[in-house]
Amino acid sequence: MYKSQLIKQTQKQYIQSTRFLSSTCQLLKWNEIPLAPPDKILGITEAYINDSNSKKINLGVGAYRDNQGKPIIFPSVKRAEEILLQKENEKEYTPIIGSKKFQNIVKNFIFNNSGKDANGEQLIKDNRIVTSQTISGTGSLRVIADFLNRFYSNKKILVPKPTWANHVAVFKDAGLDPEFYNYYETSINDLDFENLKKSLINAPNESVVLLHACCHNPTGMDLTSEQWDEVLQIIQDKKFFPLVDMAYQGFASGKPYEDIYLIRKLTKKANENEIPTFALCQSFAKNMGLYGERTGSISIITANSNDSKAVESQLKKLIRPIYSSPPIHGSKIVEIIFEEPGLKDQWLNDLNKVVGRLNTVRSKLYEKLDKSNYNWDHLLKQRGMFVYTGLTPEQVIRLRNEFSVYATEDGRFSISGINDNNVEYLANAINEVIKK
Amino acid sequence: MADSFSNVIELPPDPLFGLKARFNLDKRADKVDLGIGAYRDNNGKPWILPAVKLAEEKLINDPNNNHEYLSISGFEPFLNNAAKVLLGSDSNQLSKVISQQSLSGTGALHLAGVFIKQFYKGNHTIYLSKPTWANHKQIFEYIGFKVENYPYWNNETKSLDLDGFLNSIKSAPNNSVFLLHACAHNPTGLDPTKNQWDLILKELEKKQHLIIFDSAYQGFASGDLEKDAYPIRKAINEEIISSPIIICQSFAKNVGMYGERVGAIHIIPSTKENNEAFNKAVKTQLNRIIRSEISNPPAYGSKIVATILQDSKLYDQWRKDLVTMSSRIIKMRKTLRSKLEELKTPGTWNHITDQTGMFSFTGLTPEMVARLEKSHGIYLVSSGRASVAGLNDNNVDKVAKAIDEVVKYYSKSKL
Ligand SMILES: Cc1ncc(COP(=O)(O)O)c(C=O)c1O
Ligand SMILES: Cc1ncc(COP(=O)(O)O)c(C=O)c1O
């Protein structure tokens, strides 16, 4: 039996048991409270922890591990924390949308990159970008979803199939109406660009459309520059509102600035008023390793500075009753990294090394895989923290049961769980399960 | 499309923000900020608690420290110990508590609202004290609650309107939601006495209302964690309340974690029953809400607080720090009151020392407040709420004289 079915069954039992037990008086005050489905990744981690096989491998978690399989703190972050510990003399609340300093750092880094993006610079000058610190990428997605639900003409939000599991939950909870557009074709392990375009063209005008800026999660397959041009033309013609999710900036090329060509195309179109407004959800979780510190931002590009003022005031109104103000530890680290001489370069270097290891492991795995009757070329086209293997759920479950290799059933492997010590074992296990 | 946001209207800035902006622009060297909602030391400077500094050093030097995601529920050692701070480590109710880490007190209140809205069968009207912290109304209206007030502050006597309070509890439909400030009521600084709490809790139980305790100042008010948790421990540990209780806990003020956003929501479905399957379902639903709002809560602040709560030396230091803060504030209250009495400022001023916590509801009228700002460079919100933390040995004399001047100026005042 598949694990998902198992989960459904246990869920049912729980619902029945709570119903039965809640016949006592106080608990009757509540509607039936079903057991919410557990997070898939956490379930995998738990099973992994309980496995006694010394060769076990966890390919579930989306956080970086070094070649010893250990979590790391980026050396630049470590340095920034030491500086912070020494000089921090207050832990006051930041304003609702974060400190001005943080907002400006993010704006300049992403939309201008020290004067390299004339269009972004113009938008900043014209006061057309409203930036707020948020609770990392997820909080950013949630805030913009709530905002669009309040103020945008259309509730329909188009998301790629497949996409990060939480996207749909976040958007639905905020009252939007998510619908898939074609993105990936499993039978060929590749982008399905023709159907991608078709499904966008057939979607209602003025929909919101979610775009992964780079390192698409879970497939690792991004559009080429020319493909983006075509998609942006559709967006322009259909008057879509682009919502860009950038959780892996730097993980495609190893260099953050090279990974934002979609943003640069959008800032150009915004300046030319072809696509006058869009939004960007940005996270420092992965590219600075600030995962749990919940550090990220939302930027909303508006048509003019008057709209910006209104949008900013409404953003504050929206956030204040949810959490008042964002957490400072991560944002202060970001501020120090960008301000302290030399630290930013060190960070870029740290990030480059992280991405370098992922790429090395990716090719090592590829090398060791049996290609005699299975095509693994897609592995080399994919970018980011994951390989989207194309293995079937049955094969993934065999890997788990017979080899203690733990991954989600969609066949997505988190590369950072792979290292010099286990790549051979993993490749052999995969070769075994793909045998006819 | 060019106008996708042209329907968005600009809102006026938050009044507190405006106050701060005017204060910053004021060139008078002896200006005084009594609008701030954060502790200041006797030099008027923000203060990081020594216990916090020690915990930070310990954490940063711990080779196992990292920035990994916390679980959706938050940092377990933080959650367990946070519940103990509220109920006492010897409470036999701890096993009934379902805890979820939140974005400080605001995030806990928001979660409480979302959870009640989705699952509570009772009356979705929430009763807030009049007056109350400005954000309370917004938090619950945002979620779709009907918001009502219960009488609290009697402006004539500058004391608790107990009868009005009790009458509201009695006349609200059974199973309504009542929000109670656990201590150091914001903005009045006025708390019920133990006897008054006992009466209030008894009426709440009779009507089977769901109670939300907002605990944003535990230990900050009196310096004593136990004393400041009186109504919470009475209701729960002594099982005075059988209906559901939700505690929204903030470490913003009492550990000085303000911007780190450290807090938790604790749900006690009933002090009389313990149903593990039910509790587990509640927990997974809290997780589900968190997952779609923020994925998981911020790590750093919760690790600092957990470090303090788990290390007996640091814990002792924190208790000392609480006394440092609360006793300085109590001293400022006494000084201000005695100076006003010396100056024979019209009216009575005992309420300043009767009140506790960060704020004093001075009873000054909006026109007096305006004159304080204009003529004296002393800034407080127009309701007459003054942050006592903004007072210190260097400015309390000036503030007393200025209050004296504005009160006498508006001699028609009822003070
Ligand atoms: C595509 C995508 N978007 C957003 C996020 C949000 O991450 P965080 O909230 O940790 O910044 C993730 C994290 O895994 C992701 O994969
Ligand atoms: C009564 C009351 N509740 C809750 C809060 C929540 O604060 P925070 O979200 O910073 O914990 C405050 C802060 O001023 C408060 O005064």
Side-chain angles (χ1 to χ4, degrees):
Chain A
M1 197 190 312
Y2 284 5
K3 193 159 181 179
S4 55
Q5 279 173 328
L6 248 173
I7 289 167
K8 264 187 209 137
Q9 280 231 332
T10 37
Q11 240 172 285
K12 229 189 224 156
Q13 282 164 6
Y14 259 106
I15 295 170
Q16 280 162 356
S17 66
T18 44
R19 210 182 272 159
F20 167 69
L21 288 161
S22 67
S23 56
T24 46
C25 74
Q26 285 301 332
L27 302 191
L28 275 177
K29 289 184 171 177
W30 301 91
N31 296 323
E32 189 183 295
I33 304 184
L35 204 66
D39 189 67
K40 273 191 207 135
I41 308 276
L42 286 182
I44 288 168
T45 305
E46 213 165 289
Y48 165 82
I49 289 168
N50 292 330
D51 190 330
S52 58
N53 183 347
S54 65
K55 290 205 149 59
K56 63 185 176 178
I57 303 177
N58 186 358
L59 302 175
V61 277
Y64 182 75
R65 296 290 177 267
D66 66 12
N67 200 33
Q68 274 70 50
K70 293 268 185 315
I72 66 158
I73 298 180
F74 282 31
S76 51
V77 168
K78 185 91 195 144
R79 179 76 197 108
E81 272 190 304
E82 283 161 7
I83 294 171
L84 182 62
L85 183 66
Q86 270 176 16
K87 73 168 200 192
E88 191 175 34
N89 53 18
E90 46 88 13
K91 289 188 179 289
E92 304 280 298
Y93 297 116
T94 67
I96 300 172
I97 57 175
S99 76
K100 263 267 163 315
K101 196 194 269 180
F102 181 83
Q103 292 165 26
N104 287 335
I105 284 171
V106 167
K107 258 187 225 176
N108 278 315
F109 177 58
I110 292 169
F111 295 101
N112 186 19
N113 194 39
S114 326
K116 290 197 202 101
D117 184 348
N119 284 302
E121 195 172 359
Q122 191 62 42
L123 292 174
I124 294 172
K125 252 199 215 140
D126 294 345
N127 252 328
R128 286 180 58 189
I129 307 182
V130 177
T131 299
S132 164
Q133 189 188 334
T134 55
I135 314 302
S136 210
T138 311
S140 168
L141 288 159
R142 180 55 187 248
V143 164
I144 189 65
D146 282 333
F147 186 87
L148 292 171
N149 183 41
R150 268 192 194 186
F151 296 110
Y152 189 62
S153 53
N154 200 327
K155 307 265 178 272
K156 177 81 65 197
I157 180 162
L158 311 169
V159 303
K161 185 178 170 67
T163 194
W164 181 46
N166 209 17
H167 276 145
V168 169
V170 170
F171 296 143
K172 267 198 184 152
D173 242 40
L176 297 182
D177 175 17
E179 187 180 295
F180 286 111
Y181 63 86
N182 288 318
Y183 190 84
Y184 193 81
E185 178 48 54
T186 326
S187 63
I188 51 167
N189 287 320
D190 204 351
L191 207 67
D192 183 1
F193 191 61
E194 286 314 307
N195 279 316
L196 185 158
K197 286 190 291 184
K198 247 187 228 154
S199 57
L200 289 181
I201 287 167
N202 289 329
N205 285 355
E206 296 195 16
S207 298
V208 180
V209 59
L210 179 83
L211 310 170
H212 294 229
C214 65
C215 307
H216 179 271
N217 181 3
T219 70
M221 284 298 297
D222 294 333
L223 274 61
T224 63
S225 177
E226 294 72 27
Q227 286 172 327
W228 277 125
D229 287 336
E230 284 188 61
V231 167
L232 289 181
Q233 189 59 49
I234 297 172
I235 288 175
Q236 185 178 329
D237 296 342
K238 300 278 298 179
K239 301 187 179 348
F240 288 157
F241 180 85
L243 172 55
V244 182
D245 183 6
M246 186 161 69
Y248 300 94
Q249 185 191 7
F251 277 82
S253 66
K255 299 188 182 73
Y257 188 63
E258 283 182 18
D259 285 1
I260 56 168
Y261 51 96
L262 172 59
I263 311 291
R264 293 172 69 191
K265 287 178 193 294
L266 278 166
T267 53
K268 180 157 185 288
K269 291 222 172 251
N271 258 329
E272 290 162 358
N273 276 325
E274 291 175 347
I275 300 178
T277 58
F278 67 95
L280 171 73
C281 300
Q282 176 268 342
S283 169
F284 286 112
K286 323 277 171 168
N287 65 9
M288 234 178 237
L290 290 178
Y291 313 99
E293 309 307 342
R294 316 307 295 130
T295 312
S297 68
I298 177 75
S299 291
I300 304 176
I301 286 66
T302 70
N304 56 58
S305 66
N306 271 343
D307 283 4
S308 290
K309 278 191 214 148
V311 164
E312 183 176 295
S313 72
Q314 294 286 356
L315 258 190
K316 289 178 186 164
K317 182 176 176 194
L318 188 79
I319 293 171
R320 173 76 165 142
I322 305 179
Y323 59 85
S324 281
S325 65
I328 54 178
H329 189 66
S331 59
K332 283 185 179 177
I333 289 175
V334 171
E335 288 171 8
I336 291 173
I337 285 183
F338 276 83
E339 280 185 332
E340 198 70 25
L343 261 194
K344 186 179 160 200
D345 286 341
Q346 173 162 16
W347 165 54
L348 294 173
N349 201 26
D350 294 343
L351 175 60
N352 200 268
K353 271 195 197 147
V354 161
V355 177
R357 191 185 93 74
L358 294 175
N359 287 338
T360 310
V361 171
R362 186 191 289 276
S363 22
K364 272 193 189 153
L365 178 65
Y366 175 80
E367 257 167 46
K368 295 185 194 305
L369 286 172
D370 178 0
K371 290 169 268 299
S372 53
N373 49 29
Y374 198 97
N375 184 350
W376 284 110
D377 290 352
H378 55 289
L379 248 61
L380 297 182
K381 285 194 252 169
Q382 297 168 352
R383 283 291 165 268
M385 283 192 119
F386 306 106
V387 287
Y388 203 56
T389 58
L391 294 179
T392 62
E394 289 86 348
Q395 290 168 328
V396 173
I397 286 164
R398 273 194 66 199
L399 280 176
R400 193 180 304 166
N401 293 342
E402 295 172 30
F403 300 95
S404 299
V405 169
Y406 291 82
T408 44
E409 278 157 40
D410 60 357
R412 188 194 79 166
F413 291 3
S414 174
I415 308 175
S416 69
I418 312 173
N419 53 53
D420 290 344
N421 303 317
N422 64 20
V423 61
E424 182 102 36
Y425 174 82
L426 174 65
N428 289 340
I430 296 173
N431 291 339
E432 202 57 40
V433 300
I434 58 170
K435 263 189 199 149
K436 287 277 145 53
Chain B
M1 254 302 281
D3 51 358
S4 37
F5 297 129
S6 61
N7 59 328
V8 182
I9 50 162
E10 188 179 352
L11 300 166
D14 186 71
L16 261 177
F17 184 84
L19 185 80
K20 197 172 176 192
R22 292 201 304 280
F23 176 81
N24 287 339
L25 285 177
D26 193 328
K27 296 230 159 57
R28 283 170 281 193
D30 60 348
K31 61 185 176 178
V32 180
D33 186 0
L34 301 182
I36 36 147
Y39 181 76
R40 293 289 177 270
D41 68 11
N42 198 37
N43 299 312
K45 291 272 183 312
W47 196 58
I48 298 183
L49 277 56
V52 169
K53 275 285 176 204
L54 291 169
E56 288 188 302
E57 261 163 46
K58 188 170 167 177
L59 187 67
I60 202 172
N61 290 318
D62 179 352
N64 291 321
N65 183 37
N66 58 44
H67 295 289
E68 296 285 294
Y69 291 119
L70 297 180
S71 76
I72 301 175
S73 299
F75 192 50
E76 283 304 327
F78 163 75
L79 288 172
N80 301 336
N81 285 291
K84 286 183 192 163
V85 169
L86 288 167
L87 299 182
S89 51
D90 53 353
S91 166
N92 56 8
Q93 297 284 343
L94 286 168
S95 64
K96 296 184 186 138
V97 184
I98 306 145
S99 304
Q100 163 71 50
Q101 191 178 322
S102 63
L103 285 160
S104 210
T106 309
L109 289 159
H110 167 78
L111 263 181
V114 172
F115 185 79
I116 292 169
K117 191 78 193 159
Q118 284 183 10
F119 295 110
Y120 186 56
K121 273 192 195 151
N123 178 21
H124 289 190
T125 303
I126 184 158
Y127 290 78
L128 306 175
S129 66
K130 187 179 168 124
T132 192
W133 180 45
N135 207 14
H136 277 149
K137 186 159 178 272
Q138 302 175 60
I139 290 172
F140 291 99
E141 276 180 352
Y142 175 79
I143 299 160
F145 276 81
K146 191 163 168 251
V147 174
E148 298 272 1
N149 293 309
Y150 58 81
Y152 189 84
W153 168 261
N154 181 332
N155 206 32
E156 297 298 314
T157 59
K158 299 194 180 60
S159 63
L160 184 71
D161 181 357
L162 182 64
D163 289 339
F165 193 165
L166 294 174
N167 278 333
S168 279
I169 297 175
K170 284 179 205 160
S171 56
N174 287 1
N175 301 308
S176 295
V177 182
F178 268 74
L179 188 141
L180 308 176
H181 297 230
C183 69
H185 183 270
N186 179 1
T188 68
L190 170 75
D191 290 337
T193 63
K194 286 186 180 178
N195 283 338
Q196 288 170 333
W197 271 126
D198 293 352
L199 291 171
I200 292 163
L201 293 175
K202 212 171 98 197
E203 284 311 320
L204 287 163
E205 170 66 9
K206 266 194 213 152
K207 295 286 293 185
Q208 285 292 301
H209 295 314
L210 184 154
I211 300 175
I212 300 177
F213 280 112
D214 183 354
S215 180
Y217 298 93
Q218 191 190 359
F220 188 93
S222 71
D224 181 342
L225 291 168
E226 188 182 343
K227 194 168 165 196
D228 288 350
Y230 177 78
I232 292 178
R233 294 190 186 181
K234 182 84 185 176
I236 297 168
N237 291 347
E238 296 186 28
E239 301 183 24
I240 300 293
I241 300 293
S242 64
S243 48
I245 297 175
I246 298 180
I247 310 172
C248 299
Q249 181 181 32
S250 165
F251 289 97
K253 324 283 161 141
N254 59 3
V255 186
M257 285 283 113
Y258 309 100
E260 305 287 2
R261 318 306 294 135
V262 192
I265 175 176
H266 306 274
I267 300 182
I268 294 118
S270 173
T271 58
K272 312 269 192 195
E273 300 158 38
N274 200 359
N275 181 324
E276 266 178 44
F278 180 83
N279 291 358
K280 176 135 201 231
V282 170
K283 178 112 178 171
T284 63
Q285 291 295 345
L286 289 173
N287 285 174
R288 183 191 51 78
I289 298 167
I290 286 284
R291 174 93 171 127
S292 78
E293 289 193 341
I294 61 167
S295 274
N296 44 68
Y300 185 74
S302 65
K303 288 182 184 169
I304 295 299
V305 172
T307 305
I308 293 172
L309 298 179
Q310 286 174 298
D311 177 321
S312 63
K313 261 201 200 133
L314 293 185
Y315 186 73
D316 289 344
Q317 179 63 48
W318 177 45
R319 309 268 310 227
K320 276 188 213 148
D321 297 342
L322 283 172
V323 172
T324 304
M325 292 191 288
S326 56
S327 59
R328 195 187 86 70
I329 287 193
I330 291 165
K331 184 176 161 219
M332 282 304 123
R333 288 181 182 279
K334 284 187 184 149
T335 314
L336 180 62
R337 175 184 168 183
S338 67
K339 284 191 191 287
L340 289 171
E341 287 173 349
E342 264 168 43
L343 290 164
K344 303 213 172 4
T345 310
T348 57
W349 298 100
N350 59 300
H351 57 279
I352 293 182
T353 51
D354 293 347
Q355 298 163 348
T356 67
M358 188 92 76
F359 301 110
S360 173
F361 221 47
T362 57
L364 297 177
T365 62
E367 53 192 359
M368 293 177 188
V369 170
R371 188 172 168 84
L372 273 179
E373 181 173 321
K374 198 157 171 266
S375 308
H376 302 280
I378 295 171
Y379 289 75
L380 54 152
V381 280
S382 60
S383 65
R385 185 195 82 167
S387 171
V388 187
L391 292 176
N392 55 54
D393 288 335
N394 305 315
N395 66 20
V396 65
D397 198 49
K398 172 198 158 87
V399 170
K401 284 181 180 143
I403 292 177
D404 183 61
E405 193 275 329
V406 300
V407 172
K408 284 177 180 159
Y409 182 85
Y410 291 103
S411 48
K412 63 178 186 290
S413 138
K414 289 188 198 127
L415 279 169

